[in-house]
Amino acid sequence: MNKDDLKFPYPVLGHADDIDGDWGCTFSAICTQDAIKVIVDIQNDFEDLHKLIEEKKACYACEIICGRTFLRKAECSFEENFEIKISRSDIRDTISLTLYVISTENQNMYKSEKFKEVYRKNFKFLQPLEKGEILAHPTNPVEGCADANPKT
């Protein structure tokens, strides 16, 4: 699937220009002989989404993919800084990390003054959300070398 061609029936932060807001993250890694610890540091300046996360109606979800070993998993957190430990036996060569904000429960679509006008004025876009719906996604995933020299 080409993530550039994703279409959503509701506004998503980071998708095209659906919402006037900013968010992103930085990843850093500490490598050992047995594992890679990925440190996720999120910058979320979109207050409406931040409130949903504080209320535990949404969470940050980091998708980890290794194409060589077919590893595909997600780690979720309500915190803006968290760590993910990945066993070296689960990965080879490169891994891809993508951060999302997802709904943690079935709920009504939240409203925001930062939605583009087409969403603010046309309520058919504000349909109820199901658990797991994407509320924010970055423009590009981050890929890194999983075979970096480990610290001993």
Side-chain angles (χ1 to χ4, degrees), residues 1 3 27 38 40 60-66 71-76 82 84 86 95-100 102 134 138 141-142:
M1 171 174 67
K3 290 186 181 182
F27 295 105
V38 177
V40 183
Y60 299 106
C62 184
E63 180 183 49
I64 302 123
I65 298 173
C66 179
L71 170 73
R72 184 174 185 158
K73 70 178 190 169
E75 296 282 336
C76 296
F82 61 99
I84 301 167
I86 307 166
I95 58 174
S96 174
L97 303 167
T98 307
L99 187 72
Y100 299 94
I102 61 171
I134 296 173
V142 173

Side-chain angles (χ1 to χ4, degrees), residues 3-31:
K3 290 186 181 182
D4 293 335
D5 294 333
L6 284 177
K7 304 283 189 247
F8 296 96
Y10 54 86
V12 173
L13 180 62
H15 181 256
D17 62 354
D18 289 353
I19 301 172
D20 290 325
D22 193 24
W23 88 296
C25 73
T26 55
F27 295 105
S28 55
I30 298 172
C31 302

Side-chain angles (χ1 to χ4, degrees), residues 8 15 19 25 41-42 44 53 55 59-62 78 86 90 101 107-108 119-120 131 146 149:
F8 296 96
H15 181 256
I19 301 172
C25 73
D41 183 24
I42 300 164
N44 181 2
I53 295 167
E55 295 171 350
C59 70
Y60 299 106
C62 184
F78 296 105
I86 307 166
D90 291 339
V101 175
Q107 59 186 303
N108 290 328
Y119 294 115
R120 284 195 320 266
K131 181 178 180 178
N149 293 330

